[in-house]
Structure formats: structure tokens, C-alpha cells
Amino acid sequence: EKGGYEHFMIKEIHEQPQAIFDSLRGRLDPESLNITLSGLDKIKDKLINARRVIIVACGTSWHAGLLAEYWIEELCRLNVEVEYASEFRYRNPIITSDDVIIAISQSGETADTLVALENAKAQGATIFGIVNVVGSSIARISDAGIYTHAGPEIGVASTKAFSAQLTVLLLFAIKLAEFKNSTSEEIRKQLTKELSTVPEKVKYILDSTIENIKVIAKKYQGATDFLFLGRGYNFPIALEGALKLKEISYIHAEGYPAAEMKHGPIALVDETLPVVFVATKDRVHEKIVSNMQEIKARSGKLISVVTEDDQLAISLSDEHIKIPASHEMIAPILAVIPLQILSYYVGIERQIDVDRPRNLAKSVTVE
Ligand code: F6R
């Protein structure tokens, strides 16, 4: 059942090229670069005229939502808010029939997300579901949606469901930008083309980084804390890297926007603290490189995920993991892969039951 792998988690990490490919199949035509999303067509007018989009989710799915906010705002010039379902449902939020709610859920059964949607629906909002489990409660309550085609995810820590969510959310943003005419055709086509190459790039990352990451995991598995830093499109990935490590290794980890460091967390930095930088080349790259210098000056240990030709970032780092160059909006989908692998091997080093970490359930059906 684990297909020769030791754990479901590592099997599912390896299934990501397929999960992403399956989530694109029939939706992105690699020849014409046209995108077809029947779920989106169904509420096209609602979306074009929406006052704002509110994304509701929990945990890893919330991180996918945070990245979607950056994508949708950039490409569609539409207001997006991202909400933890548990906060949203108890806060008496202002919702109107001009709002579209995007619900993101692997299981489709997360209680807080489901009840938040029921409330929003009662107030007239349109619900768009991005769900992995077909026919689940959240799928059924949605007015329209797009399924992620990640296949069953057994490991408690979400991996392939996350990359499938990102895939579908980026497809959504590009298609909505087409409807709204808010991004040039040239940029949309470029993104679509690059998105079609993500499965092979993820495969390349799996083939080329694991041995190096195993060594890094062994070296840092005794740390008591980790910091994960990113900016822009890579900030949600820093949060996800920290969550994954906490769940699977029981090491305390925090994700932070790299520039927020100097407003407090930099006080934690000393020679015992590994700091993971998600630092692929993008519009804020120069900024994150100076954040790396700040950590280095305080003797923190720099582990960075970098674009493969980035000599400067590599020279600053104690350890580096190289990923292929890509459009800055695509890079986060690639950058999360090494962080999943890192948490898996740190968990293994620490002899944790990575498929069933303590205190966690695969699907949180109680609040
Ligand atoms: C983390 C993880 C959880 C889930 C969260 C939401 O690895 O798996 O944080 O992402 O419980 O679950 P779904 O997506 O099923 O609503």
C-alpha cells in the first residue's frame, strides 16, 4: 500500500508531480495554453462583479489561501481577505451577496470551515470550494468549485494536497484575470506555460535534492528551535515549512516574514539557531539577501532554498538547496518541496511516527 516507500508521507511527497499533473489535466491545454474551468464558468458573473473574495480555511490549506491572496490580487486586481475559519465563524463578519467565499479543504470535512461556510451562505455569499475529497461536506455545500486531483492523502501532514491546491488556485487566478482582463495576455500565457512545466520541475527537485537534504536533516535534527523566513510569494511557504517541521519533528518552529525579524524575533538568533530562508529570485530578492546578511552577522545558521544560479545567496548560506529558475509566482510551488522533505527527514532522524504524529488527526471534524 505504501508502494515500496517507508511511510505514506514520503510516498505522497513523491506523488506530487502526478498530483499536480492530474490537477492540470483537462484544464490547462499545454498546446494552446488555454485554461478551461467549468466550475469557474458557473459563477463567472458573480466573480467578475465580486466586491471581494474571502478565502476561508485552516492549517496548511490556509497557507495555500494566503498565497492565493497574493496571486489573485496581483493578477485580478481584486480585494482578497484570508481568514482562519475558526476566527471567521465566531466574529460576526460583514458578508454580503457581493462576496465570493473560496473554501479550501483537503478533507472537505473540517468542522470550522464547514460551519463558517454555512454561516456565509445564509448571509447570501456565493461559495466556491477547492476540495480534494469528492462528495465531501464542503464540496456539497459549495455553489461551484474545482476539485484538486491529489488522490487520497493518508499521511497526517498535508503534502501533495497542498501542491495540488496551489496548482488549482493559480489556474483560478489566471482564468479570472482573463475574464476581468486585468493581466495582459502575454503574462497570462507565460504563467500558463510555466505552470504546465511544474510537474517535471518538481520531479527534478525530488531527484536532485533528497541526498543533500538528508545530510542537512542529520546535522540539525538536535536543534530546539527553527525559524523559517520568506518574503512576498515565499512568505506563505515559510509558514508552511515551519508548520510541517513542528508536526513531523516536534521541534519548535516559527514562520515569519523576513523583514519582521527586526521587530522582535531577531533576539532569538544565536549560533544554535537554524534559520531557513526561502529565497528564490524574485522582485524582493535583494531585500531577502540583506535579511540573510543580518542573520549571518548574528551567527545564526543559514539553510536556504535558492534559485540554482544564485551565487550570492549560496555564498552566504551554511547549507543550500537549489531549485530550478522559474517565474516568481511559480517559485513558491517548487520551494515548498524541499521543506516537506526536510521535515520528513528531521522527523525520521528523531524517530517520530511521521504518518501519525501525536495529538493530530487527519481530518478535524470537531471544533
Ligand atoms: C497540516 C494539516 C492540517 C490541515 C488542516 C485543514 O499538515 O494537514 O493543518 O491542513 O487541518 O484540513 P483540511 O484541508 O482537510 O480542511
Side-chain angles (χ1 to χ4, degrees):
E1 51 171 0
K2 291 182 199 144
Y5 291 99
E6 193 119 3
H7 299 95
F8 283 109
M9 183 179 174
I10 194 69
K11 171 173 179 267
E12 289 163 2
I13 286 173
H14 278 90
E15 283 170 350
Q16 290 180 107
Q18 194 65 43
I20 296 167
F21 183 82
D22 289 344
S23 297
L24 293 172
R25 186 168 42 204
R27 296 166 173 167
L28 187 164
D29 179 352
E31 302 292 309
S32 65
L33 300 180
N34 287 333
I35 293 172
T36 316
L37 296 170
S38 54
L40 203 151
D41 292 342
K42 205 169 153 193
I43 60 157
K44 182 176 171 183
D45 293 336
K46 269 273 171 213
L47 272 167
I48 291 172
N49 300 313
R51 196 164 55 98
R52 62 176 176 170
V53 163
I54 306 170
I55 300 178
V56 177
C58 303
T60 288
S61 297
W62 188 90
H63 296 151
L66 187 60
L67 182 47
E69 174 184 26
Y70 287 41
W71 283 334
I72 296 170
E73 288 195 351
E74 173 75 27
L75 296 173
C76 310
R77 308 310 297 153
L78 172 62
N79 264 314
V80 181
E81 286 172 38
V82 190
E83 300 273 0
Y84 289 110
S86 56
E87 287 297 311
F88 188 67
R89 65 178 278 204
Y90 286 114
R91 190 184 75 224
N92 196 14
I94 300 154
I95 300 168
T96 73
S97 55
D98 294 331
D99 292 323
V100 174
I101 314 272
I102 301 181
I104 308 173
S105 178
Q106 187 286 125
S107 62
E109 301 297 346
T110 301
D112 279 322
T113 309
L114 183 60
V115 179
L117 299 178
E118 284 167 357
N119 295 348
K121 197 167 187 171
Q123 294 177 67
T126 301
I127 313 292
F128 193 87
I130 294 183
V131 175
N132 196 45
V133 177
V134 176
S136 57
S137 302
I138 293 172
R140 281 185 278 119
I141 199 187
S142 299
D143 297 295
I146 314 173
Y147 278 113
T148 48
H149 291 158
E153 193 180 61
I154 311 291
V156 161
S158 187
T159 54
K160 63 175 180 170
F162 179 69
S163 45
Q165 287 166 345
L166 295 182
T167 303
V168 163
L169 286 160
L170 187 52
L171 277 177
F172 174 98
I174 300 169
K175 189 65 184 177
L176 184 56
E178 180 188 324
F179 286 155
K180 287 176 70 87
N181 209 4
S182 49
T183 296
S184 72
E185 181 171 3
E186 188 192 337
I187 292 179
R188 282 190 281 106
K189 293 284 180 200
Q190 187 197 347
L191 278 169
T192 308
K193 194 168 171 195
E194 285 218 26
L195 188 51
S196 73
T197 67
V198 167
E200 62 199 65
K201 284 186 173 164
V202 170
K203 172 90 174 50
Y204 174 81
I205 292 168
L206 291 166
D207 290 342
S208 62
T209 64
I210 289 187
E211 289 313 312
N212 174 23
I213 295 173
K214 279 186 189 168
V215 175
I216 298 173
K218 210 179 192 95
K219 199 159 158 188
Y220 295 92
Q221 56 89 18
T224 53
D225 306 270
F226 266 73
L227 217 49
F228 286 75
L229 303 178
R231 301 179 74 125
Y233 299 116
N234 283 327
F235 165 51
I237 300 306
L239 296 183
E240 175 60 9
L243 177 63
K244 226 60 328 159
L245 189 73
K246 276 183 270 214
E247 290 181 286
I248 298 306
S249 73
Y250 309 159
I251 296 176
H252 166 246
E254 280 190 61
Y256 244 83
E260 270 294 305
M261 281 297 295
K262 44 175 98 58
H263 301 283
I266 201 160
L268 297 169
V269 179
D270 65 16
E271 69 287 348
T272 69
L273 183 74
V275 183
V276 179
F277 275 92
V278 190
T280 52
K281 282 193 180 161
D282 57 16
R283 69 183 79 173
V284 288
H285 187 250
E286 232 176 87
K287 302 281 173 194
I288 201 161
V289 166
S290 70
N291 299 134
M292 292 170 80
Q293 277 154 340
E294 288 157 9
I295 300 297
K296 199 174 167 67
R298 288 159 185 83
S299 309
K301 294 282 175 287
L302 265 68
I303 303 171
S304 54
V305 177
V306 298
T307 309
E308 54 196 358
D309 62 348
D310 188 356
Q311 288 314 322
L312 175 57
I314 291 172
S315 69
L316 286 170
S317 306
D318 295 277
E319 321 291 339
H320 64 270
I321 303 159
K322 293 194 259 187
I323 65 171
S326 67
H327 190 285
E328 62 172 1
M329 283 196 207
I330 306 271
I333 313 178
L334 306 177
V336 75
I337 311 293
L339 303 187
Q340 297 167 341
I341 300 169
L342 179 66
S343 55
Y344 174 78
Y345 284 106
V346 173
I348 294 299
E349 284 293 332
R350 292 166 65 94
Q351 297 180 344
I352 309 281
D353 182 356
V354 293
D355 282 342
R356 271 178 310 273
R358 66 186 179 203
N359 307 338
L360 292 170
K362 182 63 188 159
S363 157
V364 184
T365 52
V366 293
E367 62 171 283

